[in-house]
């Protein structure tokens, strides 16, 4: 039970046994960035406090200048902050250094407060009323930026111990008559020492620390969950088209199967020719290597032209333009993508021949029309897809490449639409009107994009 409470308080449920290594690495990277932020925040505070001391008149009273050590302490602390920032940027801050940093913070603050009774020629009880104590809460709060309750707790304990030390010194008489009193008015209006009041300050420090530690512990729960989900979302996004992933993230309500929208789109189908035969001749690892090489060259070109990969069909690729996000240039974008893919295919074939490998060619077809875009599945396993005649027609056109002895084709209506949308081919295309495409009842005007 104690162990579980310790893990909950100090690790936020995010101990090594509870989260995968990649999540721990992501959290560690966040904490390293937090240490940089803490260092710069500390330095900024030092500069602001120094400016405050320099720009305002000193409080009146008997002052012994040789004990005016504010600037000395502030410059020392600034130098310490600079070293800390350098180590944080270099990712060289070991955990023990963080604890030492806390001790240095509090020690410098308490030492500064201790000098006040010397500076103003008073007994030690005088410094116990110094408002400089409030900076303790700033140091405690700074540790919250790391999202580890242990450092908040450690800072609070060190601060309370430091104040207890100052109180003991004042009560001991080492710094002059302690003037211990039980009269609150006398305590407030003189340098008398009311032990209960100092205990109240220590209790306030510890209670503030406890509340902040609990808040940080709860926040760390959320941090671990957020980082875990962020890592998972990043990994899962590799299985989705970026546009689809963005749509899922931005959905106002839970996405359900059976919901769809009508879209005017362009469809691009790409097929790796001869791959089925090649897959029977190569080892499985080599098969996957060839497939990855083909997709690595093809998919970025489609995405760069505004397309979304709908699915991988073995060695085939089905992409849509204007489905995930409506586009007034869907057809033109699809034909631009087709040109880029065919150029890449030609370059790939040259590279394979130069390496003594059999060249692999790519077949491609583009079509356009109105489709339904939405989620399909059984409710637990969903997939965004496009459904409609344009999808089926693109698949049939791609197969028709073999009949026409071409590499890439589209239909006349899609080509005309692409021209109206601003598409201009690198060279005038070849037109083949009145072709019979398998599975299509009426004749089709074919436009050859690559022979």
């Amino acid at each position: 039970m104690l162990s579980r409470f310790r893990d909950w308080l100090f690790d936020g449920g995010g101990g090594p046994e509870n989260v995968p290594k990649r999540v721990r690495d992501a959290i560690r990277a966040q904490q390293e960035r937090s240490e940089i932020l803490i260092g710069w925040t500390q330095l900024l505070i030092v500069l602001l406090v120094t400016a405050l001391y320099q720009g305002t008149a000193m409080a009146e009273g008997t002052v012994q200048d040789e004990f005016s050590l504010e600037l000395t302490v502030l410059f020392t602390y600034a130098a310490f902050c600079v070293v800390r920032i350098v180590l944080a940027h270099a990712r060289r801050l070991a955990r023990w250094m963080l604890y030492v940093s806390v001790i240095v913070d509090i020690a410098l603050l308490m030492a500064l407060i201790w000098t006040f009774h010397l500076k103003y020629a008073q007994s030690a009880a005088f410094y116990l009323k110094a408002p400089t104590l409030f900076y303790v809460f700033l140091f405690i709060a700074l540790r919250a930026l790391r999202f580890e309750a242990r450092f908040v707790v450690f800072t609070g304990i060190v601060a309370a111990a430091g104040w207890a030390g100052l109180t003991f010194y004042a009560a001991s008489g080492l710094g002059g008559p302690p003037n211990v009193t039980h009269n609150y008015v006398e305590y407030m209006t003189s340098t008398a020492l009311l032990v209960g009041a100092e205990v109240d300050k220590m209790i306030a420090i510890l209670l503030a620390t406890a509340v902040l530690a609990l808040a940080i512990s709860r926040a760390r729960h959320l941090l671990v969950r957020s980082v875990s989900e962020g890592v998972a979302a990043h990994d899962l996004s590799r299985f989705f088209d970026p546009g689809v992933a963005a749509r899922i993230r931005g959905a106002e309500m839970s996405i359900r199967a059976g919901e769809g929208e009508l879209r005017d789109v362009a469809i691009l189908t790409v097929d790796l020719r001869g791959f089925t035969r090649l897959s029977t001749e190569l080892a499985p690892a080599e098969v996957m290597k060839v497939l990855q090489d083909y997709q690595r060259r093809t998919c970025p070109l489609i995405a760069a032209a505004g397309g979304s990969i709908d699915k991988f069909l073995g060695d085939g690729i089905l992409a849509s333009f204007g489905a995930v996000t409506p586009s007034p240039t869907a057809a033109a974008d699809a034909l631009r993508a087709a040109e880029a893919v065919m150029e890449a295919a030609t370059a790939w074939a040259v590279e394979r021949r130069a390496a003594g490998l059999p060249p692999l060619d790519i077949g491609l077809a583009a079509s356009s029309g109105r489709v339904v875009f939405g989620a399909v599945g059984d409710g637990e396993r969903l997939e965004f897809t496009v459904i409609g005649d344009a999808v089926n027609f693109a698949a049939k056109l791609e197969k028709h490449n073999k009949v026409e002895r071409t590499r890439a084709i589209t239909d006349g209506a899609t080509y005309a639409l692409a021209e109206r949308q601003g598409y201009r081919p690198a060279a005038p295309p070849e037109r083949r009107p009145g072709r019979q495409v398998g599975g299509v009842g009426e004749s089709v005007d074919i436009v050859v994009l690559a022979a």
Side-chain angles (χ1 to χ4, degrees):
M1 185 70 177
L2 182 61
S3 176
R4 290 181 62 185
F5 175 76
R6 183 195 63 214
D7 290 342
W8 179 82
L9 177 61
F10 292 115
D11 293 312
E17 70 283 358
N18 295 324
V19 294
K21 181 179 181 300
R22 57 181 178 164
V23 176
R24 295 200 304 272
D25 290 342
I27 293 174
R28 187 179 302 110
Q30 290 274 11
Q31 290 175 331
E32 288 174 347
R33 290 193 291 271
S34 294
E35 286 301 330
I36 295 173
L37 176 61
I38 290 171
W40 282 107
T41 302
Q42 287 177 315
L43 184 58
L44 178 61
I45 291 170
V46 171
L47 296 177
L48 289 175
V49 173
T50 303
L52 180 64
Y53 269 101
Q54 288 293 92
T56 58
M58 183 178 296
E60 294 181 0
T62 302
V63 177
Q64 301 184 90
D65 290 333
E66 66 269 26
F67 295 110
S68 295
L69 302 179
E70 290 90 346
L71 291 180
T72 301
V73 172
L74 289 171
F75 284 136
T76 301
Y77 190 54
F80 175 75
C81 289
V82 170
V83 172
R84 193 181 187 285
I85 290 170
V86 171
L87 291 175
H89 276 283
R91 303 297 195 270
R92 299 290 298 274
L93 272 176
R95 187 169 289 271
W96 66 267
M97 294 180 184
L98 301 179
Y99 288 109
V100 170
S101 176
V102 170
I103 294 172
V104 170
D105 291 347
I106 302 301
L108 286 172
L109 179 63
M110 295 301 166
L112 179 62
I113 294 173
W114 180 83
T115 65
F116 286 173
H117 78 290
L118 301 177
K119 176 179 176 179
Y120 291 98
Q122 300 291 323
S123 63
F126 173 81
Y127 61 60
L128 295 176
K129 295 182 174 63
T132 311
L133 171 65
F134 294 139
Y135 285 103
V136 158
F137 297 99
L138 180 60
F139 285 130
I140 296 172
L142 271 176
R143 301 301 156 183
L145 294 176
R146 187 179 168 87
F147 284 95
E148 276 193 278
R150 70 182 70 198
F151 290 105
V152 173
V153 171
F154 183 73
T155 306
I157 291 174
V158 172
W163 196 250
L166 290 182
T167 301
F168 176 79
Y169 180 84
S172 69
L174 296 173
N179 299 325
V180 177
T181 183
H182 297 287
N183 187 306
Y184 186 71
V185 174
E186 183 182 0
Y187 163 73
M188 291 296 295
T189 58
S190 69
T191 58
L193 169 62
L194 180 61
V195 175
E198 306 313 319
V199 172
D200 278 348
K201 293 175 185 177
M202 287 180 266
I203 291 175
I205 291 171
L206 293 175
L207 287 178
T209 298
V211 171
L212 189 56
L214 288 173
I216 291 303
S217 181
R218 288 176 60 84
R220 186 173 172 85
H221 276 281
L222 297 177
L223 174 66
V224 171
R225 181 184 301 175
S226 176
V227 172
S228 298
E229 292 178 354
V231 171
H234 177 267
D235 289 343
L236 288 173
S237 67
R238 298 168 62 192
F239 292 87
F240 294 94
D241 176 87
V244 172
R247 184 184 179 93
I248 294 171
R249 287 194 299 269
E252 294 288 343
M253 300 177 63
S254 178
I255 297 171
R256 295 191 296 267
E259 296 180 344
E261 302 172 48
L262 285 175
R263 290 275 199 270
D264 290 317
V265 306
I267 302 296
L268 187 68
T269 59
V270 187
D271 183 67
L272 183 57
R273 293 179 177 175
F275 182 75
T276 302
R277 175 186 54 80
L278 185 66
S279 64
T280 63
E281 301 172 356
L282 298 177
E286 290 298 317
V287 171
M288 297 306 295
K289 183 178 179 181
V290 171
L291 191 61
Q292 193 274 333
D293 195 17
Y294 149 65
Q295 293 170 342
R296 176 180 62 82
R297 295 168 183 268
T298 305
C299 295
L301 299 175
I302 295 173
S308 299
I309 305 298
D310 186 271
K311 59 175 61 72
F312 293 103
L313 306 167
D315 60 320
I317 299 172
L318 173 63
S320 62
F321 294 76
V324 178
T325 303
S327 170
T329 59
D333 294 338
L335 297 196
R336 292 188 188 101
E339 280 188 354
V341 168
M342 297 318 297
E343 288 178 7
T346 300
W348 189 32
V350 172
E351 289 179 21
R352 288 184 63 86
R353 287 193 187 95
L357 299 172
L360 293 173
D361 204 359
I362 290 176
L364 177 152
S367 69
S368 61
R370 180 159 290 189
V371 302
V372 175
F373 171 72
V376 296
D378 62 0
E380 296 299 324
R381 165 66 165 86
L382 299 178
E383 179 180 276
F384 273 102
T385 190
V386 283
I387 302 171
D389 290 340
V391 181
N392 299 328
F393 184 43
K396 293 169 183 177
L397 274 180
E398 197 288 312
K399 292 180 180 178
H400 191 69
N401 272 308
K402 296 178 181 178
V403 177
E404 298 290 339
R405 298 182 183 277
T406 54
R407 299 166 63 209
I409 59 175
T410 187
D411 61 286
T414 296
Y415 190 85
L417 177 61
E419 284 188 314
R420 292 196 297 273
Q421 293 176 354
Y423 171 69
R424 297 294 180 268
E430 178 187 353
R431 299 177 181 270
R432 299 180 184 180
R435 299 294 184 166
Q436 293 296 320
V437 177
V440 179
E442 56 188 28
S443 61
V444 178
D445 292 338
I446 297 297
V447 178
V448 179
L449 302 175

